[in-house]
Structures are given as C-alpha cells and as structure tokens.
Amino acid sequence: MYQHNANSLATVFQQADYKLGGHGPRNMDILKQAFEAVDGETDADMYGQGKVIGDFERKMADYLGKPSAVFFPSGTMAQQIALRIWCDRKASKRVAYHPLSHLEIHEQRGLHELHDIEPVLLAEADRLIRLDDVTSMPEDVACLLLELPQREIGGQLPAFEELEAISAYCRARGIKLQLDGARLFEVLPYYQKTAAEICALFDSVYVSFYKGIGGIAGAILAGASDFTEESAVWKRRHGGDLISLYPYIVTADYYFDRRVGRMAHYWSGAEKVARLFNASRHVVTVPEVPVTNMFHVHIALPPEQVEEALVKVAQASGVGLSSYVKPRGDGSCFEISIGDRLDAIPEEKLKLALKQLDEALG
Amino acid sequence: MYQHNANSLATVFQQADYKLGGHGPRNMDILKQAFEAVDGETDADMYGQGKVIGDFERKMADYLGKPSAVFFPSGTMAQQIALRIWCDRKASKRVAYHPLSHLEIHEQRGLHELHDIEPVLLAEADRLIRLDDVTSMPEDVACLLLELPQREIGGQLPAFEELEAISAYCRARGIKLQLDGARLFEVLPYYQKTAAEICALFDSVYVSFYKGIGGIAGAILAGASDFTEESAVWKRRHGGDLISLYPYIVTADYYFDRRVGRMAHYWSGAEKVARLFNASRHVVTVPEVPVTNMFHVHIALPPEQVEEALVKVAQASGVGLSSYVKPRGDGSCFEISIGDRLDAIPEEKLKLALKQLDEALG
C-alpha cells in the first residue's frame, strides 16, 4: 500500500486556522464539557443497571420506535451479537451484507472467529445493494444487514421505496433485517422520515454516538425485548458488560440532544462543499450530490501530488481540507464529513481554498 | 435462590453515616475528580493509538515487569483473549482454572460460546488450587489460570513457594500460566514481593483498575510483545477496540497513583475488622486472618435474620457493615473489601457496631 507522508499533511492540517470536516478536535474537552453540569453524586450504572443507563436506553428505544434498547461500548460488538442472535434462531451460519461493510473490512473477521458466521457478500463493492441482489440471496441467510448510508462508497442511500421492497421481501421469507445505522441520524433529512419510520422496516437496529452526534464512543442496539435481553447476555460474554459505561452514556446523551436536530444543516453544508469540490477539473465527489453530511472526494492524480496540493492550500488559505489522502486505483481519495466546524469557516476563505486546490492540482 | 429484602438493608446501608467496605460511593465524582486537572486539549486516544493509552500501557508493562501491555475495557475480554491465544498456539481447546473462577461463574460461558474452549476445573470450590491438582491435570491443557487472591473464597492466597513450584511444573511441560490479577496490587504486601517478581512466574497477566485501585472500569493485559500484539487483534474482534478508551485510562492512572501504595494499610484494616467480626459467637471470617484487604463473613444463621441484625446495627450505631446478605448453605455470608472508607469510621463506633451485631444475632 502507498505510504503517504502522513506527518507532513497531518501536521499542516492540525495547524490550519480552519478545518473542513468534523465537529472539532477529538480531545478530552468532549468529556469535560458534557460532565460540567453533571452532579458528581449521580450514581454510576452498575453492570447494565441503574438510572443513567436505563433512562438512556428507554429514550433511544422510543426514538427508534423499538420496544427495547441496550447500550453497548461499540457497534462492532452490538452488530456481531445481533447477527449471532438471528443466526441462532434460524440455526443457520449465514448472513448477508455489502462487501465494504464494517464487519467485512474493519473487524479482523471477528464474526467468523468468534461466532463462526460466514457472510454472503451482496452487490459490487462500488455500488449499493439493490432489491435484485436481495432476491437472489441463498435461502439459508438468517439476516441481511443494510448500512444506511453506505459509508465506504461516500455515504450513498437507496430510495426509500427500495428499502420498503427489500424489507417486505425479507419479512415474507423469514430473513431478519438488521440496520447498520452508524450514521442513521444523518439520513433522516434526506428521507424526510423519523428514525422510527425507517427502523420499522428493520427487525433490529444499531446506532452510534460518535459520528454525526460527536460523543466519545458507544452504541445502542434496539429491537424486540426478547432480542435485546438476549443481546445483554452476549454483551456479558463479549466482555462488554462493564461495571460502568456512564462516561460514554452521559456524553452520548449530551451530544445527541445538541446535534440530532442539526443533521439537515450538516447535509446542506455537505452539498455546498461538494459543489465547490466538483468545480475543480480533477475532482469528482461521490455521491456527486451528497444525500447526508458526508461524501468522498476522488481525484484522478497520485496521492503524493494531492497531498502536496492540500499542504499548499492549507498553508496559503489557512483552510485544512483533509488531514490525509488515500490511494484509490491510480488516483486518490479522502472522506469529508461535515459537522460544526464548517460554520466557523468564512465563505470566501472556503471558496478561495477550493480555488487554490484546483490550481495546485495543476 | 433466597430472595433477600435488598431494598430495606440496601437503603439503610445507603443512609448510614459510616460504611465499612470500599473507597466511597460509586458515583460520577470518581470521573469528575480524576479529570479536574486534565487539560481539555489533551488528545483522545484513537483505536489503541496515542499518548494517553501508549504511556499508560508502557507504565503498566514496566510495573508488571513484562515487555508489553494492552489496555482493555474489561477483564472478561482480556482473559478470554489470553486463553484463546494460548489455546491457538497449542492447538488445544482446554484450559484449567478454579471452579469459582470469574470465567466459570460470571461470564455466561463466553469462553465456550465465543472461543469453543472448555475448562478443566481444578480443586474443590472451597479451597485453593494446589500443586498436586496441577500435576494431575490432563496434558493437553494449554493454559492454567490462577487467580491471586482467590476472590470467591474470601481472597485466599497460596504460599509463594507453592506458586513457584506450580510455575516451574507448567514451564517444564509447556503449559502457559495466566495470572488473573484482578486484585494483584492487593496481594503485594502479604507476599512482600513486587508485582514484577510475582508476574515473572506467569506468561501473561491481567490486572483490574476498579477493585483496590477504585477507578471506573478497565484492565491491562501484559506479556511478551507477540502475545500482546495478538491480543490487540482479538480486542478488535471482540468489539473492545473502542475509538477512545481515555475515560477509563485517565481514571485508572489517577487512582493507581493514589492508591497502589496504600494496599498494606487496607490489609491491616482488614485484619483489624476481621478480628472484631470473629469475636462474635455466630461469625467466622474466611480467611480467619485476611491476607489482603478482603475477606468473607460467614454467619451460621439464615439470611433474613442476619439482614435484620445488620439493619438494626446500622440504625443504632450509624455504621453500615454490609449492604447485602447472601445465602450460603443453611447460613449467610457477605464480602468485605477494605478501602478508604474505613479510615473515616471512629474506632469506638466500629467496635460498638460489631458488639451490637453480636447481640442482634442473638
């Protein structure tokens, strides 16, 4: 794999007056700010019990329109467990998901190594799963996992009608549907649906609190009560039933309240920024018109050259557009996720930066 | 199982002016206090990388006398992974441990369900594992796990010479030795050894930061570098490689520095309190003379009666001796772990409380 000169670009990005993606630096102020108003005498949760965890699980279950919810330290743990439960119920060891699912590329084959479950990979890596991929799945698939939006292809979304058709197909055949909702809050403005309306198409749902929400870590797994009760047993088995999870719960709750209503704003920011990127000759964003707060930037030039250009732009304009560049075929790419930081960049500075990028790419 | 009237005793304990066990209430002040002096601009750890996690792992590796250490969200996760690694290396699915090991009674058979590993249970439940239990183990055991002290029997310890003999036996036969050091810091005064001297007998070691140390949660797994590197891959598979673990690391480090040197003090407190308990006709502590900061209180009376007595004592003396009672055969028991709280109880109050307990038990 191409070894980009991370230090140099990362450092220049770090020092830039303005940064394009995210809510802000991932530092310990995220915790300190959330705990500032917390009464120190508030009881910790104890092994999944107590007011702080119970209230948040109830709140998220209601928000997602599911009977019950369990807080997990990570989505990796929550989703493997969801798939294991559905597999056990069907006495099958097969699930289906996208070739670039988190489970496939970021979890060191945990689903196989711990649960002996094998995936059927649906669709080509560079496109969404479609209804006809689903209808041609083997019949012994216990659960289909759909990620909304599909992060590794820039955060793309199927039409809601296609989701409905996939859901109906799976329901009719006893195939469970798990929602990888790592970025579920981010898709609500595009679909113009509530979270509960989307989750109604799924049997079980995972959401994350450190993407659009901007917490420290942590996840919720929601579904029917017998499902979540079973998931809590597996949480213990995985070593995720920590004596106390409140550092993640308190911050998740704090930033959920502050940011869940801002997703349309982040989305419109992403649309604006994508337009500016697409004005450059060498650049294409995927999707061309974002459907959430995120998109990928594809540049038909080698990473060294793109990195050099980004360094130049950050130094000249004071705007860090990306802290890294990844190779992609013969070209390059990086991901942009719009959050609070965009609001701080003066419009002209941003336009100037993207104009300078176009020039620097030659 | 006997359903004790938890609310009543728990409530009275909660309201008592003085409480016998532990460092203090498990509330969010534990976090707030540790983070008070932390600079909010300190970078979070990211997926196991960064100064906050790297420095603490180095510090603990050095303290334990091992080449390398990895921070885990829980000991449940760390120990299953340690056993899995040793099993994989021997191509065996058998390990050995005590019948009351945490793995056997508190983890919902995670080791079996996730790793397909079966334990050989050594020794009777009410005594320590001895050298002759070890020498009669099946030869295909990949790893023997020893817990120091053995918590579920009151925190008992073998003689150091017996540990040395067990270690030598296992080394000679290619059986790995894993230390369940959930309370390792607490045993150092008794053995008059450094942690490194004890850990030198073991191939891999787990320590916890919310028992004697009094942090929020979290664990360290230490050993040779190839072992800890492999453990980090399994941490990812288990869903324990959270984007950020600093809430647990910062608190673990903070309370480690404040309490690791106080273990002899807690131990002498436990000796004193156990003597007072043993002065009562109905009471026996296990061990009779504590070897760490903990012991169990066995009372040859039914739980209802003991609970009633504890309520009476707490109300009359202002000292909560225990917040709960568990059935044990025909009698009752509860656990005492001495921490900072003991220092706050005036000597005469404590003596009075235990005199009142003796009377209340009839």
Side-chain angles (χ1 to χ4, degrees):
Chain A
M1 195 180 158
Y2 164 75
Q3 294 297 313
H4 60 82
N5 182 357
N7 276 344
S8 154
L9 175 56
T11 304
V12 169
F13 179 85
Q14 212 46 52
Q15 294 165 345
D17 293 339
Y18 304 101
K19 297 170 180 78
L20 182 56
H23 296 305
R26 291 197 70 86
N27 63 28
M28 297 190 189
D29 248 347
I30 292 174
L31 180 145
K32 287 175 75 95
Q33 194 186 320
F35 273 89
E36 212 157 81
V38 170
D39 181 352
E41 293 190 16
T42 309
D43 284 337
D45 54 308
M46 294 276 284
Y47 298 114
Q49 303 299 313
K51 190 168 157 53
V52 63
I53 190 165
D55 285 358
F56 188 63
E57 287 174 343
R58 184 71 262 144
K59 176 177 175 172
M60 292 314 302
D62 292 345
Y63 181 85
L64 300 170
K66 294 294 181 196
S68 180
V70 172
F71 190 87
F72 279 81
S74 75
T76 296
M77 192 184 293
Q79 294 218 107
Q80 283 183 25
I81 287 172
L83 297 182
R84 172 63 181 261
I85 292 170
W86 295 135
C87 278
D88 281 356
R89 295 210 183 164
K90 196 168 179 166
S92 162
K93 284 292 184 188
R94 279 226 272 194
V95 297
Y97 49 63
H98 192 272
L100 298 183
S101 166
H102 195 274
L103 288 127
E104 189 64 13
I105 65 174
H106 291 307
E107 302 182 9
Q108 297 274 3
R109 283 176 54 76
L111 189 68
H112 170 77
E113 295 286 345
L114 294 171
H115 298 285
D116 196 25
I117 295 173
E118 290 297 339
V120 177
L121 302 180
L122 298 184
E124 282 80 49
D126 63 354
R127 67 162 175 89
L128 290 171
I129 293 171
R130 293 188 295 247
L131 178 61
D132 59 349
D133 300 309
V134 175
T135 58
S136 52
M137 280 191 314
E139 281 190 12
D140 66 345
V141 164
C143 179
L144 166 62
L145 177 143
L146 288 183
E147 183 186 350
L148 300 180
Q150 196 74 50
R151 185 256 179 111
E152 298 289 346
I153 53 173
Q156 300 183 45
L157 285 174
F160 193 75
E161 295 66 33
E162 184 147 29
L163 274 186
E164 289 179 309
I166 290 172
S167 174
Y169 178 88
C170 289
R171 290 248 156 103
R173 277 152 195 84
I175 297 167
K176 298 296 181 181
L177 208 52
Q178 156 77 9
L179 171 53
D180 180 339
R183 293 164 183 79
L184 175 66
F185 310 117
E186 292 89 319
V187 312
L188 305 183
Y190 175 78
Y191 281 134
Q192 288 286 298
K193 302 278 180 194
T194 65
E197 285 169 330
I198 295 171
C199 293
L201 303 177
F202 294 83
D203 299 285
S204 52
V205 179
Y206 138 69
V207 291
S208 171
F209 298 99
Y210 63 90
K211 281 94 184 185
I213 299 298
I216 301 176
I220 276 281
L221 182 64
S225 300
D226 60 336
F227 170 85
T228 58
E229 275 161 33
E230 204 173 333
S231 81
V233 173
W234 282 105
K235 179 166 83 160
R236 170 64 62 103
R237 289 177 178 141
H238 263 253
D241 190 20
L242 309 197
I243 177 165
S244 294
L245 285 162
Y246 72 82
Y248 299 127
I249 298 167
V250 167
T251 44
D253 196 22
Y254 179 89
Y255 293 107
F256 176 83
D257 287 347
R258 273 150 195 81
R259 295 206 177 104
V260 74
R262 288 174 57 75
M263 297 298 159
H265 177 68
Y266 302 145
W267 176 28
S268 81
E271 287 182 313
K272 180 179 77 178
V273 176
R275 265 196 307 277
L276 295 174
F277 270 109
N278 283 313
S280 171
R281 285 156 297 163
H282 301 280
V283 178
V284 175
T285 71
V286 175
E288 193 190 334
V289 180
V291 289
T292 69
N293 70 321
M294 76 170 290
F295 58 88
H296 283 186
V297 176
H298 291 185
I299 303 182
L301 294 167
E304 299 86 339
Q305 200 176 330
V306 174
E307 195 168 307
E308 207 176 287
L310 287 169
V311 166
K312 208 180 283 181
V313 170
Q315 287 169 337
S317 71
V319 180
L321 296 173
S322 177
S323 65
Y324 74 96
V325 177
K326 283 204 310 188
R328 184 180 175 280
D330 295 333
S332 309
C333 69
F334 51 88
E335 181 175 286
I336 300 287
S337 289
I338 296 300
D340 292 343
R341 267 175 169 166
L342 180 62
D343 296 336
I345 312 178
E347 189 91 13
E348 322 79 64
K349 281 230 176 260
L350 184 65
K351 285 182 174 161
L352 177 67
L354 283 152
K355 194 162 161 287
Q356 287 176 341
L357 178 68
D358 185 47
E359 289 162 9
L361 291 173
Chain B
M1 194 180 159
Y2 165 75
Q3 293 297 312
H4 60 83
N5 183 357
N7 275 344
S8 154
L9 175 57
T11 304
V12 170
F13 180 85
Q14 210 48 51
Q15 293 165 346
D17 292 340
Y18 303 102
K19 296 170 181 77
L20 183 55
H23 295 306
R26 290 197 70 86
N27 63 28
M28 298 189 190
D29 247 348
I30 293 174
L31 180 145
K32 287 175 74 96
Q33 194 186 319
F35 274 89
E36 213 157 79
V38 169
D39 180 352
E41 292 190 16
T42 310
D43 284 337
D45 54 308
M46 294 276 285
Y47 297 113
Q49 303 299 313
K51 189 169 158 54
V52 64
I53 190 166
D55 284 358
F56 188 63
E57 287 174 343
R58 185 70 262 146
K59 177 177 174 172
M60 292 314 303
D62 291 345
Y63 181 85
L64 300 170
K66 294 293 181 197
S68 180
V70 173
F71 190 85
F72 278 81
S74 75
T76 296
M77 193 183 294
Q79 294 216 109
Q80 283 184 26
I81 287 172
L83 297 182
R84 172 65 181 261
I85 292 170
W86 295 135
C87 278
D88 281 356
R89 294 209 184 165
K90 196 169 179 167
S92 162
K93 284 292 183 186
R94 280 226 273 194
V95 297
Y97 49 64
H98 191 273
L100 298 183
S101 166
H102 195 274
L103 287 128
E104 189 64 12
I105 65 174
H106 292 307
E107 302 182 9
Q108 297 274 4
R109 284 176 54 73
L111 189 68
H112 170 77
E113 295 286 346
L114 294 170
H115 297 285
D116 197 24
I117 295 173
E118 290 298 338
V120 177
L121 302 181
L122 298 185
E124 282 81 49
D126 63 354
R127 66 163 176 88
L128 290 171
I129 293 172
R130 293 189 295 247
L131 177 60
D132 59 349
D133 300 310
V134 175
T135 58
S136 51
M137 281 192 314
E139 279 189 14
D140 65 346
V141 164
C143 179
L144 166 62
L145 177 142
L146 287 183
E147 184 186 350
L148 301 181
Q150 197 74 49
R151 184 255 179 112
E152 299 288 345
I153 52 172
Q156 300 182 45
L157 285 173
F160 193 74
E161 294 65 33
E162 183 146 31
L163 274 185
E164 289 179 309
I166 290 173
S167 174
Y169 178 88
C170 289
R171 290 249 156 102
R173 276 151 196 85
I175 297 168
K176 297 296 181 182
L177 208 52
Q178 156 76 9
L179 171 54
D180 179 340
R183 293 164 182 78
L184 175 66
F185 310 117
E186 291 88 320
V187 313
L188 304 183
Y190 175 78
Y191 282 134
Q192 289 286 300
K193 301 277 180 194
T194 64
E197 284 168 331
I198 296 171
C199 294
L201 304 178
F202 294 82
D203 299 285
S204 52
V205 180
Y206 138 70
V207 291
S208 171
F209 297 99
Y210 63 91
K211 282 96 184 184
I213 299 298
I216 301 176
I220 276 282
L221 183 65
S225 300
D226 60 337
F227 170 85
T228 59
E229 274 162 32
E230 205 174 333
S231 81
V233 173
W234 282 105
K235 178 165 83 160
R236 170 63 62 103
R237 288 177 179 143
H238 263 253
D241 190 21
L242 309 196
I243 178 166
S244 294
L245 285 163
Y246 71 81
Y248 299 126
I249 298 167
V250 167
T251 44
D253 196 23
Y254 179 89
Y255 293 107
F256 176 83
D257 287 347
R258 272 150 195 79
R259 296 207 176 104
V260 74
R262 288 174 58 75
M263 297 298 159
H265 177 68
Y266 301 146
W267 177 28
S268 80
E271 286 182 314
K272 180 179 77 179
V273 176
R275 266 197 306 276
L276 294 174
F277 270 109
N278 284 313
S280 171
R281 287 155 297 164
H282 302 280
V283 179
V284 175
T285 71
V286 175
E288 193 191 335
V289 179
V291 289
T292 69
N293 70 321
M294 76 170 291
F295 57 89
H296 282 186
V297 176
H298 291 185
I299 303 182
L301 294 168
E304 299 86 339
Q305 199 176 330
V306 175
E307 194 167 307
E308 209 177 285
L310 287 169
V311 167
K312 209 180 284 181
V313 170
Q315 286 169 338
S317 71
V319 180
L321 296 173
S322 176
S323 65
Y324 74 98
V325 177
K326 282 203 310 188
R328 184 179 175 280
D330 296 333
S332 309
C333 68
F334 51 88
E335 181 175 287
I336 300 288
S337 289
I338 296 300
D340 293 342
R341 268 174 168 165
L342 180 62
D343 297 335
I345 312 180
E347 189 92 11
E348 321 80 62
K349 281 229 177 260
L350 184 64
K351 285 183 175 160
L352 177 67
L354 283 153
K355 194 161 161 288
Q356 287 176 342
L357 178 67
D358 185 46
E359 290 161 9
L361 291 173

